[in-house]
Every structure is written in structure tokens, then in C-alpha cells.
Amino acid sequence: MKMRFIRLKLDNFAGIATGHVEFGPGLNILYGPNELGKSTLAESIRAVLLMQSTSKAHEPWVRWNTDETPQVELVFQTDEQRYWRVKKSFG
């Protein structure tokens, strides 16, 4: 099965207060200087797809300056007219 990411949204996830990424068709490349959050975006995708929302592994993603719950939403497409949305709050 082929899967295409459409949109990623983060709230209070690690060092990212709020973030929104729209993926285009084909290959998408994240680039930039160190410490901008590229690895955090990749980690958030792994978390929303593979981790249970109650897992203790979420603790490093809690931002230091807030009590807000880390949240990730991923929208992806599997067929031409089939879209899926996965949304998780961790903690």
C-alpha cells in the first residue's frame, strides 16, 4: 500500500510551540541549520503513528515552560480518494 503524507500539525511538542507542515507530491526534503526542529518533526510522525498516547516515552516532548499536553495530527492519503487523520495527545 502506498501512503502519502498531506499535512502535519504540532502543538507543544518538544521545542515546537506550534507548527504546521504541508507536504507536496513526490519527495519532500526538510533542510536548514542545526537545532531548528527537523528531527523533532520526524519524531512527531513516528510518535503519532507508532506510540500509544499514554506511553511514558512522551516525557521528553513536554515543553519546559508550559503545562500544555504535546499534540500531533497527521493527515495522509492511501488511495486517490481515501484520506486518514490521526490525532494524538500525549500524557
Side-chain angles (χ1 to χ4, degrees):
M1 172 174 48
K2 187 166 81 171
M3 180 188 326
R4 178 179 164 249
F5 293 158
I6 304 296
R7 180 177 56 250
L8 176 67
K9 184 176 181 234
L10 307 172
D11 288 310
N12 303 303
F13 192 91
I16 300 175
T18 185
H20 186 100
V21 177
E22 295 282 338
F23 296 97
L27 179 65
N28 289 259
I29 299 173
L30 300 173
Y31 68 95
N34 290 341
E35 301 299 321
L36 283 183
K38 300 178 299 292
S39 296
T40 301
L41 292 175
E43 186 72 14
S44 71
I45 293 171
R46 183 179 81 76
V48 75
L49 290 175
L50 302 175
M51 295 191 68
Q52 294 181 5
S53 61
T54 57
S55 171
K56 290 277 189 193
H58 84 278
E59 291 175 356
W61 305 326
V62 176
R63 298 180 69 222
W64 290 357
N65 59 350
T66 183
D67 292 336
E68 298 292 326
T69 303
Q71 297 180 346
V72 180
E73 179 179 312
L74 178 65
V75 176
F76 59 95
Q77 179 181 13
T78 55
D79 294 318
E80 188 166 327
Q81 295 297 318
R82 186 165 293 200
Y83 290 85
W84 302 87
R85 181 177 62 135
V86 179
K87 185 175 183 177
K88 286 187 185 172
S89 296
F90 297 93

